Amino acid sequence: MTIQAVRGVRDILPGETVKWQRVEDTARRTFETYGYEEIRLPLFERTELFARGIGEVTDIVQKEMYTFPDRGGESITLRPEATASLLRAYIEHGLHVLPKPVRLYTLGAMFRYERPQAGRYRQFHQLDVEALGDEHPAVDAEVIAMLVEFFRRLDLTAPRVLLEVNTLGDAVCRPRYREELTHYLEAHAAALCAECRERIARNPLRVLDCKKPECRPVLDAAPALADYLCDPCREHFARVRAYLDALGIAHAVAPRLVRGLDYYVRTTFELTTSELGAQNAVAGGGRYDGLIERLGGPRDPGIGFAVGIERIILMLSEASAPPQEMSRPFALLIPLGEAALRALLPVARHLRAHARPLRVELGHGERRLPRELERAAKLGVGYTVIVGDEELARGEAKLRDMKSRQERSVPLLEVAGELLALAGRG
Ligand code: HAM
């Protein structure tokens, strides 16, 4: 029996990696223009970091983590997100002494034991950005603007993706709202689904997020957090929105936008799409003032977001992929026999080591010409260079233009120069 990949885990095949590279390059270039620096983090951490960081009562911590004891008996968890690890590193390495906000980004695989479906996997990849140590609402607006700019550079703009923003209040105003909401939900529990009923005591704000039609009437009439905000939270949100307006960034206020992680206060936001079926968030984030302190660090505020790379890839059409040409070799060098192979080895080396290298492939000399030409056609190369015993005796090679099918003889010593000239790199 053959062994297959684990459920919810995907291979990213060569045709697709071109798109991944484009997304990653665009992210790096965008983030770097805004002054972000890359940090690379481990794939696993002590379980306690996520329990404390993400929140004990979240679905992620309760149901979705890959947690196991290592051989030394320590409880280890494969990271379900990057924020907690990044803050751990920020604290551990004293990065708070850097000029603030400290702007960091990272990218890589995350792991959540979710029910796999299109756009939802058990191993997936995020681009994660965090701005630490500054609570000014201009930082919120800049972080959101950068997210939107990154999507714009990938030609993903409204109406394909929409920006939703909300505020969740803070430790001053949210507890009172939470209490009111709990009362309200308990009074209407009979009209809610089983999952919502079970969540009321645990995480009442999360109940607002339920997508089931049967729950909508009760949830739509629930008390709104906006009516309970304290003045500083109200002011913060108004300023974030004013800066977004000044930047010309269209956004909708989504009062029911509550996120799946417990660390958020004040600003939260998501980029949503209707192109991915049940998965409508391509990116999400928010402010998490207080979290760094809870993890044992300084009283630094923070805000950030993460983008699901698989979801962006699903949205990028074939047309927006770079032309296939880029991934094709320019030439196939075909030695017919051992002596010819030795003559062509330095030619291939020269072309690959050139200041503006050419992508070339070299046969090994033991295949017959018709098979090599078939291979050249399959690879889609522009030129073939053929060297058999006769050519070798004359110190020449046959250079064939695969498109026009024209063939000419070129001195072996000039083959590399000819190919470079044809590629415009002479
Ligand atoms: P999150 O909303 O849990 O936030 O995830 C961010 C994005 O990761 C989602 O919008 C989605 O695109 C992608 N994603 C999440 N789960 C999956 C999955 N199972 N399969 C494929 N894609 C997925 C966070 O993780 C926070 N750490 C974001 C953040 C950073 N907040 C502040 N800083």
Side-chain angles (χ1 to χ4, degrees):
M1 205 179 73
T2 55
I3 300 172
Q4 300 194 326
V6 172
R7 188 165 128 84
V9 173
R10 295 167 65 248
D11 299 305
I12 302 162
L13 301 176
E16 222 187 331
T17 47
V18 181
K19 285 192 195 173
W20 281 72
Q21 287 161 6
R22 173 165 174 244
V23 169
E24 289 164 6
D25 289 349
T26 307
R28 286 183 198 286
R29 277 201 297 272
T30 312
F31 302 163
E32 280 163 16
T33 16
Y34 281 77
Y36 284 78
E37 289 184 294
E38 185 180 1
I39 179 167
R40 298 196 185 192
L41 301 163
L43 294 185
F44 56 87
E45 300 270 2
R46 290 171 211 272
T47 302
E48 193 197 346
L49 173 70
F50 301 115
R52 265 212 273 162
I54 300 170
E56 297 273 11
V57 300
T58 55
D59 282 351
I60 295 182
V61 171
Q62 295 208 331
K63 306 182 197 161
E64 296 172 2
M65 295 204 306
Y66 280 89
T67 297
F68 55 92
D70 70 8
R71 287 176 192 275
E74 175 144 46
S75 181
I76 293 295
T77 292
L78 301 185
R79 62 179 184 190
E81 58 120 44
T83 311
S85 304
L86 192 143
L87 300 188
R88 194 240 342 113
Y90 176 80
I91 298 165
E92 188 167 332
H93 302 286
L95 301 182
H96 60 274
V97 300
L98 297 170
K100 286 171 181 167
V102 179
R103 295 182 165 99
L104 300 168
Y105 76 90
T106 193
L107 76 180
M110 311 290 153
F111 307 86
R112 295 185 194 175
Y113 194 80
E114 293 194 82
R115 200 165 50 78
Q117 48 182 269
R120 191 160 83 193
Y121 311 100
R122 290 184 172 169
Q123 174 175 318
F124 60 98
H125 297 77
Q126 284 184 344
L127 293 160
D128 183 276
V129 168
E130 314 290 349
L132 307 169
D134 193 332
E135 63 181 353
H136 198 283
V139 177
D140 307 34
E142 191 191 83
V143 163
I144 295 172
M146 185 172 84
L147 172 64
V148 171
E149 168 63 8
F150 164 61
F151 274 77
R152 189 197 63 77
R153 292 190 190 190
L154 292 170
D155 293 320
L156 295 174
T157 52
R160 296 189 64 197
V161 287
L162 299 173
L163 172 63
E164 298 187 343
V165 298
N166 190 24
T167 177
L168 292 182
D170 63 7
V172 176
C173 53
R174 191 162 59 202
R176 194 162 73 84
Y177 171 68
R178 196 185 145 110
E179 210 173 294
E180 290 293 323
L181 180 67
T182 308
H183 284 317
Y184 171 86
L185 294 174
E186 277 168 350
H188 295 84
L192 293 172
C193 70
E195 199 178 358
C196 282
R197 284 204 301 274
E198 182 240 338
R199 273 182 171 159
I200 296 176
R202 246 190 332 127
N203 202 347
L205 266 74
R206 209 47 192 146
V207 177
L208 294 176
D209 203 27
C210 180
K211 309 262 174 354
K212 295 200 190 80
E214 71 231 58
C215 298
R216 281 327 315 173
V218 171
L219 301 183
D220 287 342
L225 177 57
D227 298 329
Y228 292 78
L229 291 177
C230 59
D231 288 341
C233 282
R234 195 186 307 278
E235 154 92 8
H236 186 94
F237 193 46
R239 288 174 76 183
V240 172
R241 296 198 56 206
Y243 301 146
L244 289 177
D245 288 338
L247 286 162
I249 294 176
H251 59 278
V253 176
R256 311 235 176 276
L257 172 63
V258 281
R259 310 249 315 118
L261 305 99
D262 258 4
Y263 46 60
Y264 294 112
V265 293
R266 296 194 165 171
T267 317
T268 52
F269 53 94
E270 274 182 0
L271 273 186
T272 60
T273 179
S274 54
E275 294 176 21
L276 300 178
Q279 311 310 312
N280 64 356
V282 239
R287 199 164 253 297
Y288 44 81
D289 304 350
L291 178 58
I292 296 177
E293 201 180 357
R294 282 205 298 287
L295 292 175
R299 290 191 56 182
D300 285 353
I303 178 167
F305 63 76
V307 180
I309 305 185
E310 281 81 356
R311 295 188 187 173
I312 302 192
I313 299 288
L314 285 169
M315 292 191 74
L316 289 179
S317 64
E318 295 304 325
S320 67
Q324 267 290 297
E325 256 73 339
M326 281 185 61
S327 55
R328 282 183 198 163
F330 185 74
L332 173 64
L333 312 183
I334 308 175
L336 302 170
E338 178 69 14
L341 172 63
R342 289 182 195 215
L344 282 176
L345 277 168
V347 176
R349 199 192 83 118
H350 180 77
L351 292 169
R352 290 163 174 162
H354 189 259
R356 292 169 62 202
L358 267 193
R359 184 168 158 191
V360 293
E361 294 210 10
L362 172 64
H364 52 48
E366 288 178 14
R367 271 191 293 260
R368 296 160 66 87
L369 186 58
R371 275 200 57 202
E372 285 289 28
L373 290 175
E374 210 175 287
R375 215 158 68 86
K378 278 194 190 145
L379 290 169
V381 301
Y383 297 88
T384 49
V385 172
I386 304 159
V387 179
D389 289 341
E390 272 175 43
E391 287 81 12
L392 207 57
R394 288 199 299 270
E396 285 181 347
K398 266 195 226 140
L399 175 62
R400 184 183 294 191
D401 180 330
M402 295 301 280
K403 221 193 225 154
S404 67
R405 311 221 157 250
Q406 304 244 332
E407 200 175 88
R408 63 193 159 96
S409 291
V410 176
L412 254 175
L413 288 175
E414 289 169 24
V415 167
E418 278 286 330
L419 285 172
L420 287 165
L422 286 167
R425 299 178 192 193

